[in-house]
Amino acid sequence: MKQRQRGVILALLPFVLMVLAFQVVPLLSMLTGSFRREDGTGFTLGNYLHAVQSAYYMQAIKNSLLISVASSVIGIAAGLLCAYCITRFTPAVRDRLLMLSNMTSNFAGVPLAFAYIILLGNNGVFTLLFKQWGWSVFSDFNLYSWSGLILVYVYFQIPLALLLLYPAFYGIREQWKEAAALLGAGSWQFWRTVGLPVLSPAIFGTLGILFANAMGAYATAYALVGGNYNLLAVRIGSLVAGDVVTQPQMGSTLAVLLALSTLLAVYLNQRMVRLTEGFTSKPPRKRAWRREASAGIRAAALEEAGQ
Amino acid sequence: MNTRRSGLAPRTFMLLLMVYLLLPLLATGLYAFAENWQNTLLPEAWTFGWFGEMFKDIRFLEALWTSLYLCLITVLLSLAVMLPAVFVITVYFPCWESFMKGIVVLPYAVPGVVAAVGLIRAYSSGPLNISGTAYLLVGAYFVVILPYMYQGIRNSLLSVSAVELLNAAELLGARRRSAFVNVILPNIWPGVIVSALLSFSVLFGEFVLTNMLVGGHIQTIQVYLYRRVGESGHLASAIAISYFVFILLLSALLMRLGTLGKR
């Protein structure tokens, strides 16, 4: 018996050590750092006070919240529409479409920002073309600003939304539609009174993931606008590994604030997923393995887009 | 063939979506092969020159090599650590599973920037000063792929009914360790390979942690790409496209393995 226990502990020890060293300790260190004075000693709430009072940091927080909310809402609207459309296709076509949209989720971060610079940057292909053709509608579009960032953020939000939402549509059974139709409900009335309420936990849960995803997105914004646009993630990056002056304590404080918002969003998602599971049936059995694979890729998408 | 009719509206919307999603990719691809592309809808002349230049660039090859071996080392380390740990938890302590899940979900909820802040603070001074080294990066990478490895290994263990297999092996007189090595491992191998490949491709695309933790000292392919964007657009496109094709091949392999494993 003794030997068995020793074997078990030996098997778990490396895992516990790695998680402690590279996950728990850094998070704790960040938390304590946010309560330290600028010279790294003592205990103070000053950093948080400073963050709230500073117009600069508040602007970063506001910008991040705005861009996250906007890109999540656009992403979820487009995702819902596309997820519904995708259920209208035959399984073979549907799988191909899902695969294509999955594929694009590998195209995130630096390469994605870069592709947009080629397309719509100052000397972008379309920018020059539109200028030559004299299309003035696009002349005040600036990729390195709010509208450009939204465009790029939405790009990585839609495939994720699609992937997370489309299984929920299988919870809506054809019989419900038939029953509603028999009772005299039109298609629109069915969706308003039955369809959307059934989908709502999945929608809110997905919204949480998209929000967290956008809040944490760094690589795309960094590669696109560098330090020129005041976003929370970019601000944290420059405070900690800064080009100008490093203020690790302030960086920790902002990082804690950012982490709180994403943790909250992911928590919301977990709660909603549990709610959804109650009455959602599974997609057709035949494609079960693909669902599992897509769960993995969904996670990958989450990760990559979050960079 | 179409058993279910797909109306005009779904087709239109999906077409729009595909155009939106594929256009940036297509443009990057064209740019990588374009000799000269200004003021015209399509490039005026084509060339393979940018790809040639890419492979002549010693810094690119170095970055590629750095990426490959850092990702490989992390995945191997993760396999060595996670296989026994997940096995023990799943088989002997199912009661701890919800706790494990909490730990494993955490990397999703904590964005890269935040993780980097903590790592830099914890390791830039004190007894363990490993900031800017590959050790710190490998540790950070280990946490990044934690969810994929855990889920992958656990799912494989459950799908081969590891507990029953183990009991049967022990009933037949196998010792625990040899039962694990000779019975369980070969059975879960396909699933484990899939999660290892997935982890590898995730790490290959990792930028935030790499740039913030070791950006000044170690150049991976992503950091290199970021540095080159400002210099030559064509060259950077060639690199981005090669990177994308590589990841695509990797996921195609992953899909294939996924189907084989389920048969």
Side-chain angles (χ1 to χ4, degrees), chain B:
Chain B
M1 282 303 271
N2 276 11
T3 47
R4 200 191 288 167
R5 199 162 46 85
S6 40
L8 189 65
R11 278 165 197 248
T12 319
F13 283 126
M14 288 321 283
L15 190 71
L16 279 176
L17 176 74
M18 287 302 141
V19 168
Y20 178 59
L21 290 181
L22 294 178
L23 202 61
L25 254 172
L26 200 69
T28 317
L30 287 180
Y31 209 64
F33 288 107
E35 176 108 49
N36 188 11
W37 192 5
Q38 264 152 8
N39 306 334
T40 47
L41 191 55
L42 283 176
E44 289 154 38
W46 304 91
T47 174
F48 280 101
W50 307 114
F51 286 90
E53 207 169 301
M54 178 180 91
F55 282 112
K56 265 186 270 167
D57 187 354
I58 192 82
R59 286 177 301 166
F60 166 73
L61 295 174
E62 270 172 9
L64 186 65
W65 172 238
T66 310
S67 269
L68 284 176
Y69 88 72
L70 275 176
C71 297
L72 202 66
I73 286 175
T74 311
V75 171
L76 289 179
L77 174 80
S78 180
L79 277 178
V81 171
M82 294 299 284
L83 270 176
V86 180
F87 174 73
V88 164
I89 293 275
T90 314
V91 175
Y92 298 110
F93 303 105
C95 47
W96 286 6
E97 276 198 336
S98 58
F99 176 70
M100 274 292 272
K101 265 194 196 131
I103 293 179
V104 157
V105 158
L106 214 54
Y108 280 155
V110 178
V113 203
V114 175
V117 171
L119 285 162
I120 290 172
R121 231 193 89 82
Y123 293 107
S124 58
S125 62
L128 258 178
N129 189 353
I130 51 171
S131 72
T133 64
Y135 298 109
L136 184 58
L137 193 63
V138 168
Y141 277 3
F142 175 85
V143 172
V144 168
I145 60 173
L146 208 55
Y148 314 104
M149 295 302 272
Y150 174 76
Q151 280 300 342
I153 297 173
R154 184 172 166 276
N155 287 350
S156 325
L157 280 174
L158 291 182
S159 69
V160 300
S161 334
V163 181
E164 283 83 353
L165 264 182
L166 205 67
N167 286 342
E170 278 179 37
L171 209 64
L172 294 171
R175 292 179 58 109
R176 183 161 290 108
R177 179 171 307 197
S178 71
F180 176 67
V181 174
N182 294 323
V183 178
I184 303 289
L185 267 188
N187 272 298
I188 61 171
W189 214 227
V192 171
I193 297 267
V194 169
S195 32
L197 278 176
L198 181 65
S199 308
F200 187 88
S201 72
V202 167
L203 289 183
F204 209 73
E206 153 62 34
F207 173 75
V208 194
L209 285 168
T210 321
N211 194 43
M212 284 181 71
L213 293 178
V214 298
H217 308 277
I218 303 171
Q219 273 203 9
T220 62
I221 196 80
Q222 292 279 326
V223 176
Y224 173 82
L225 186 63
Y226 174 73
R227 298 259 159 92
R228 293 318 292 266
V229 167
E231 294 171 31
S232 161
H234 290 290
L235 189 60
S237 310
I239 298 164
I241 284 300
S242 317
Y243 157 79
F244 185 72
V245 169
F246 176 75
I247 291 292
L248 220 56
L249 289 178
L250 206 63
S251 25
L253 184 68
L254 232 138
M255 282 292 218
R256 271 210 81 81
L257 284 175
T259 8
L260 288 180
K262 289 286 179 295
R263 248 174 224 157

Side-chain angles (χ1 to χ4, degrees), chain A residues 114-160:
Chain A
F114 176 65
Y116 270 97
I117 293 173
I118 294 177
L119 280 176
L120 295 164
N122 283 337
N123 292 309
V125 176
F126 284 126
T127 315
L128 293 178
L129 267 184
F130 292 152
K131 203 181 279 171
Q132 205 187 14
W133 293 344
W135 288 8
S136 53
V137 199
F138 298 98
S139 62
D140 33 314
F141 175 81
N142 179 7
L143 181 66
Y144 313 101
S145 70
W146 168 256
S147 43
L149 276 174
I150 287 274
L151 193 69
V152 182
Y153 272 50
V154 166
Y155 183 90
F156 60 68
Q157 298 278 46
I158 291 181
L160 189 59

Side-chain angles (χ1 to χ4, degrees), chain A residues 153-227:
Chain A
Y153 272 50
V154 166
Y155 183 90
F156 60 68
Q157 298 278 46
I158 291 181
L160 189 59
L162 179 59
L163 217 55
L164 293 173
L165 281 175
Y166 109 95
F169 273 90
Y170 286 93
I172 296 177
R173 308 208 177 111
E174 285 298 316
Q175 292 96 306
W176 298 354
K177 280 187 206 165
E178 285 158 16
L182 279 178
L183 293 172
S187 173
W188 168 241
Q189 204 177 0
F190 168 76
W191 282 109
R192 196 167 49 85
T193 53
V194 181
L196 282 178
V198 168
L199 286 179
S200 61
I203 294 175
F204 283 112
T206 306
L207 206 59
I209 290 282
L210 294 187
F211 177 80
N213 192 28
M215 280 301 278
Y218 173 83
T220 315
Y222 181 67
L224 197 61
V225 293

